[in-house]
Amino acid sequence: HPEVHDRSTDLAEECQLLVSKVREFQTIMASIHSEMNHLAKDTERQKLKTIGQRVKLEHNSSEDALSREEAMLLSKIEAKTKEMEEFSSYMASLGRAEGEQLAEIEKLDGRGN
């Protein structure tokens, strides 16, 4: 039966074509899968790098905030030290004035006797 033979030959060719296309599809899918894995690894590397940079920035920001706070506190200490020196100078001046007044009182008290 030539018709059956021809039909069998056609089916065999179609099967070979289908098998070829399935293999081509598998190759393409394997390539896509490989590329996706590569992209996933690269994305993970970039994510870790970004997290590291963020932590570094946060650390630097914390250090900057601490440095600013330290500078502000040092400025306050300096201002209070200056104020204390002014008060000490004023107290010394008052002590001298008191001494002079006591000496004047003793002088006047001595005359009155």
Side-chain angles (χ1 to χ4, degrees):
H1 298 73
E3 292 176 13
V4 173
H5 179 38
D6 290 342
R7 182 72 182 136
S8 294
T9 305
D10 289 344
L11 284 174
E13 288 173 5
E14 286 180 29
C15 284
Q16 285 178 356
L17 182 62
L18 181 63
V19 167
S20 173
K21 288 186 184 241
V22 167
R23 285 187 181 140
E24 182 182 347
F25 178 76
Q26 287 176 332
T27 302
I28 291 169
M29 290 305 295
S31 174
I32 290 172
H33 181 71
S34 174
E35 185 63 25
M36 293 295 284
N37 281 338
H38 175 72
L39 290 173
K41 288 177 183 176
D42 189 46
T43 300
E44 186 65 23
R45 267 193 306 276
Q46 290 296 327
K47 181 177 102 177
L48 292 174
K49 182 179 176 183
T50 301
I51 289 170
Q53 289 173 341
R54 184 181 68 196
V55 167
K56 185 177 180 180
L57 283 174
E58 287 172 353
H59 179 71
N60 288 343
S61 294
S62 295
E63 284 183 356
D64 289 346
L66 288 174
S67 293
R68 285 191 301 274
E69 185 175 353
E70 180 183 18
M72 181 185 69
L73 290 173
L74 288 173
S75 176
K76 285 181 179 182
I77 289 170
E78 188 177 310
K80 291 296 180 183
T81 301
K82 189 174 182 179
E83 188 178 348
M84 187 180 74
E85 289 171 356
E86 289 171 0
F87 281 132
S88 293
S89 177
Y90 181 67
M91 288 293 292
S93 175
L94 288 176
R96 285 189 301 275
E98 180 185 29
E100 291 171 3
Q101 289 175 358
L102 287 174
E104 189 65 32
I105 290 172
E106 284 182 19
K107 199 194 270 185
L108 291 174
D109 192 35
R111 282 191 203 165
N113 289 339

